[in-house]
Amino acid sequence: MANASEPSTIDPKEAAHFGKMAADWWDPKGSSAMLHKLNPVRLKYIREQIDHHFQTDETSRTPLAGKRAADVGCGAGLLAEPLRRLGADVTAVDAAPENIAAARLHAQGQGLEIDYRVGSADTLDGLYDLVTSLEVIEHVADVRGFVGGLADHLAPGGLLILSTPNRTPQSRLMMITLAEGLGQIPKGTHDWNKFLTPEELCAIVRDAGLDVVDVEGLSFSPTRGFVLSENTSLDYFIAARKA
Amino acid sequence: MERADVIILGGGLVGLTLAIALGKHGVSTIVVDPADPEQTIAKTFDGRATAVSSSSFRMLQAIGVAGRLEGHGCPIQSIQVSDGLAPGGLVFDAEQGDDPLGMMFENRLIRAALFETAKTVPGLNFLPKTRAAEVVRDAAGVRIALEDGRLLAAPLLIGAEGRNSPTRDAAQIPMARWSYDHVAIIQTIEHERPHGNVAYEIFYPAGPFAILPMLPGTRSAIVWSISAADAPATLGLPDRAIAAEIEKRMGGFLGAITLAGPRSSYPLGFHHATQITGERLALVGDAAHGIHPIAGQGLNLGFRDAAALAQVLVEGARLGLDLGDAQLLARYARWRSLDTFMVAASTDTLTRLYGVPGKTASAVRRFGMSLIHRIGPLKDRLMAEARGESGDLPLLLRGLSI
């Protein structure tokens, strides 16, 4: 894809950075080790919201059967693949062609059919029952434009799930000083000043015409690892619906 | 190519239990086992019996196996531990109205109940009388070529082949292991007086001797451990002589005895895998850890592996995760590591402690036992261990569906 056609919300420097990591994405001990560790708890949140929102059976393995899902900023498919296994018809987009190449290769190895596209929310077509964009907003240049783009592709009654780090002293300590300092997250992954508080992000989501239905914290416990909690000081999820 | 969510190598008690637990929760399995089921449930194949803990039994209830065992289990209401035939041992009683301390079942009956249940479980593909010729595990998945030429594929491989697990050895998982240089003789006996649902664990310097109550009330299973050097001679004794040796060690309190059933023997050893997971691999049961049968905890440990792994995989499947995902395997390893090691280490210590000959050692043991007797919480803790109720219990062991 030519640079000229890349949507304005993508920061080109950020896209290049993730591209370097692409080959390493699926290695649970590689540079995305932190994302792999986060994945079960992120999926737990998404599953809870799906069951609540769509009134699906929590013991079903395919609660998204017959539904369309879009994952924006999909990386190499750490979330897109589970959404596909949960039964959804998945479209997943990422600004970095290297990520999409890695994602396609991996999905093929897993026998999963996923529509991967290079680009941003404006490469989506039509409406989706579920739109997710996890740990992406903090890398986006125009947050309002980005959230608006996601909202445009949400079907009436659809569910949007976002996650992002909070802008607090704790998140600066944990995610920049410690995690990047100790090499658990590659250096330069995050710019703390771009982080949004839950209040700021909720306001942006509401301005995009959606109802915020849930805000939940993702916190770290030394004994239990990453857990869902009321404590939003490190990182948090927002679930919103379109009326 | 046959595909499933999980391939289990080894369709023994633990492997089949796990397959049934997974199948009941919508996770499909292919179970590969070299043995012929017709033979393994025959009366002559296996004289072993197991003290199924109440939490293990609750899992068998939760996955629909227990109904087939109805009326076949002998509840253990009391466990008496003694140093030789001297008085002053430990007595563990089940509280009135509480679960028994365990239920004694013949292993072959548990196996038969599992085979019967397995036939009714959707998504459980049991392939007996064959084995894996080639196993490949990599980032893409697990692929297996069977000796009969069939090809299998799944995201996860489970090694449940028992103590000599080829899967574990192929994964080059290091083992801590030692032999006790002892052999356990297993023999079912009939005795004159009823056992009153009491299990006896009698420690002799030559090795522990257990009398485990079976049905009907005048039948018990003997687990008699003797030094490996003495084993061939003892095993070669005529029935009447063996019966006399057993009777001598029982101190005559159950009256005259006769042999009922085949005699078998197993070398005793301790082995503990330093890891129970690898790339797209999890070990369960004796493939991961083998302990001294003295406390009847070996199979219960394996059942706890099955319960924890089933929960990890079923919950992972409901999140849409790849079932070979490293995070799922890490959760299983964390969940099981402490429990497994604690039980293994404590039964090993117990065995060594009681293996020390001499009057002083015996006095120390008796003193220790009477001390434990008076300390309520410690005794409760040991009883909970025998029941298998300590630690963060998997749902199945609480009798709940996942």
Side-chain angles (χ1 to χ4, degrees), chain A residues 28 33 36-37 39-41 43-44 47 58-61 63 81-83 85-86 106 109-110 224, chain B residues 5 25-28 139-141 155 280 314 317-323 325-328 334 402:
Chain A
H36 282 275
K37 283 204 173 72
N39 220 22
V41 67
L43 289 166
K44 183 164 184 263
R47 178 68 203 247
E58 60 183 24
T59 66
S60 163
R61 285 181 68 174
E81 289 194 4
L83 291 176
R85 287 197 195 89
L86 292 176
H106 193 268
Q110 294 287 307
R224 291 183 299 149
Chain B
D5 289 318
H25 293 87
V27 175
S28 63
R280 296 190 179 278
V314 168
R318 288 177 190 161
L319 297 181
L321 280 168
D322 174 349
L323 293 183
D325 188 280
Q327 309 307 317
L328 291 180
R334 270 197 311 274
I402 300 165

Side-chain angles (χ1 to χ4, degrees), chain A residues 26 35 42-44 66 69 86 92 106 111 114 125 127 197 203 227 229:
Chain A
W26 279 99
L35 283 179
R42 299 197 321 186
L43 289 166
K44 183 164 184 263
L86 292 176
H106 193 268
I114 295 169
D125 61 285
L127 299 174
T197 65
V227 289
S229 80

Side-chain angles (χ1 to χ4, degrees), chain B residues 311-396:
Chain B
Q311 186 168 342
V312 166
L313 295 178
V314 168
E315 289 179 354
R318 288 177 190 161
L319 297 181
L321 280 168
D322 174 349
L323 293 183
D325 188 280
Q327 309 307 317
L328 291 180
L329 296 175
R331 182 180 173 210
Y332 169 62
R334 270 197 311 274
W335 205 349
R336 293 304 300 145
S337 58
L338 189 63
D339 177 43
T340 309
F341 189 72
M342 291 293 282
V343 174
S346 56
T347 52
D348 182 61
T349 309
L350 206 60
T351 320
R352 282 164 189 273
L353 187 66
Y354 281 99
V356 181
K359 276 211 163 78
T360 316
S362 170
V364 168
R365 281 196 292 273
R366 276 210 290 281
F367 176 70
M369 282 200 276
S370 63
L371 207 60
I372 293 175
H373 212 59
R374 282 182 210 123
I375 306 172
L378 181 56
K379 211 175 133 180
D380 289 348
R381 167 95 194 144
L382 286 172
M383 301 237 310
E385 200 67 59
R387 279 206 190 95
E389 291 192 349
S390 41
D392 188 6
L393 267 195
L395 289 168
L396 285 173

Side-chain angles (χ1 to χ4, degrees), chain B residues 61-275:
Chain B
Q61 286 172 320
I63 63 174
V65 176
R68 292 185 168 83
L69 290 168
E70 203 83 47
H72 293 297
C74 180
I76 302 174
Q77 294 299 347
S78 175
I79 300 175
Q80 298 194 9
V81 183
S82 66
D83 185 24
L85 295 168
L90 280 171
V91 179
F92 300 109
D93 286 316
E95 295 288 329
Q96 205 71 36
D98 207 350
D99 283 323
L101 297 170
M103 296 270 271
M104 287 299 302
F105 288 97
E106 291 179 58
N107 281 10
R108 62 180 190 88
L109 292 181
I110 304 177
R111 196 171 286 124
L114 290 170
F115 282 139
E116 284 309 308
T117 312
K119 287 180 197 160
T120 68
V121 174
L124 194 165
N125 186 1
F126 184 52
L127 307 179
K129 296 190 270 187
T130 185
R131 62 179 85 223
E134 202 188 338
V135 178
V136 178
R137 292 183 288 117
D138 59 25
V142 178
R143 293 168 304 286
I144 291 181
L146 295 178
E147 277 181 350
D148 62 19
R150 279 178 290 186
L151 299 175
L152 315 176
L156 179 68
L157 175 65
I158 292 170
E161 307 121 311
R163 63 171 58 209
N164 296 318
S165 169
T167 302
R168 179 196 63 218
D169 293 344
Q172 298 186 314
I173 290 177
M175 299 288 291
R177 74 167 98 209
W178 50 83
S179 158
Y180 290 114
D181 214 15
H182 273 63
V183 168
I185 297 177
I186 317 284
Q187 174 71 59
T188 306
I189 58 162
E190 297 277 355
H191 38 78
E192 215 173 16
R193 279 179 229 133
H195 50 57
N197 295 353
V198 180
Y200 300 90
E201 286 177 12
I202 308 171
F203 288 89
Y204 287 106
F209 183 91
I211 308 165
L212 306 167
M214 306 284 291
L215 291 179
T218 52
R219 180 181 283 244
S220 290
I222 299 295
V223 182
W224 174 18
S225 97
I226 59 172
S227 80
D230 295 341
T234 309
L235 284 165
L237 288 174
D239 282 2
R240 190 177 299 183
I242 280 271
E245 288 295 317
I246 290 174
E247 207 170 320
K248 196 166 84 190
R249 278 161 186 80
M250 288 172 60
F253 56 83
L254 293 178
I257 68 151
T258 50
L259 305 187
R263 188 183 316 154
S264 45
S265 70
Y266 301 87
L268 295 177
F270 170 100
H271 66 271
H272 188 83
T274 50
Q275 299 153 242

